[in-house]
Amino acid sequence: MKIASLESHALADGLTEVEIAHLGDLFIEERFNAGDSLFVEGQPSRGLVFVARGRMRVVMRGHEAREHTLFELVGPTVIGEMEIVSGHPSMASVIAETDLVAHTLSHAAFAALIDCGDIVGGKILRNIARVMARRVEQTNARLLSLLDPGQTHALESLKKHLITEWKS
């Protein structure tokens, strides 16, 4: 199955047309309405989801079970990358803000792709790692932007203090 926008997404970096077509055959198309949950924090994930179009919100529950929006994503994008690699439950909830067209690679299909030694599996794993690294960089930048210079100094001081304590 040909998946719109996949060939130009980071998930397909380094894949040939034939490999992209092979990968497309492993994904299952799903449609979500605005307000639907694609992932629920703490619950098993559906797999790796490539969202071809639409907008979604990533939320986590904080203290007193208050919902906090971490960020918004707009397709084409991929979600569920941490869970597909780790096998852990969903780290956050993902809620459709608009109607979405998505394509899901199940955990079983991902494991089969990796376990059979198919080169596509290795390339996808590399690309997932790159997506995760980019998101960690974005999160770090966002965290730093929330700190004023005084807080940055206070955090560095606390860090040095904790490191000193842990060493003793």
Side-chain angles (χ1 to χ4, degrees):
M1 166 188 10
K2 181 165 172 58
I3 299 175
S5 310
L6 179 60
E7 63 277 349
S8 61
H9 189 270
L11 191 60
D13 281 355
L15 272 67
T16 66
E17 286 183 30
V18 171
E19 291 169 335
I20 291 171
H22 172 61
L23 187 62
D25 290 340
L26 301 175
F27 279 80
I28 298 167
E29 184 175 299
E30 296 184 274
R31 293 179 182 270
F32 297 90
N33 296 317
D36 287 350
S37 293
L38 285 78
F39 290 86
V40 177
E41 182 178 353
Q43 297 297 311
S45 77
R46 62 187 345 102
L48 182 70
V49 180
F50 177 75
V51 179
R53 66 175 187 268
R55 191 182 53 182
M56 66 223 86
R57 219 168 22 105
V58 179
V59 300
M60 289 184 82
R61 298 225 177 261
H63 298 290
E64 302 168 4
R66 284 189 23 217
E67 189 177 272
H68 299 277
T69 297
L70 301 178
F71 50 90
E72 288 191 354
L73 294 169
V74 177
T77 191
V78 66
I79 56 175
E81 70 281 358
M82 289 177 58
E83 293 82 0
I84 197 87
V85 171
S86 72
H88 295 148
S90 297
M91 301 288 297
S93 295
V94 179
I95 302 164
E97 290 290 297
T98 63
D99 292 348
L100 301 176
V101 176
H103 304 272
T104 301
L105 179 67
S106 71
H107 287 274
F110 178 74
L113 190 63
I114 299 300
D115 292 346
C116 77
D118 189 327
I119 190 70
V120 174
K123 289 179 180 182
I124 290 299
L125 200 51
R126 176 200 61 210
N127 292 343
I128 289 170
R130 288 176 176 169
V131 167
M132 289 192 306
R134 187 170 38 258
R135 289 197 173 149
V136 167
E137 291 168 359
Q138 291 167 345
T139 300
N140 287 345
R142 185 170 177 215
L143 287 172
L144 282 174
S145 74
L146 295 174
L147 298 173
D148 66 34
Q151 289 173 313
T152 304
H153 177 71
L155 282 176
E156 281 300 314
S157 177
L158 175 63
K159 177 180 158 186
K160 287 178 185 174
H161 173 75
L162 290 174
I163 289 172
T164 302
E165 278 189 14
W166 290 334
K167 287 182 178 178
S168 46

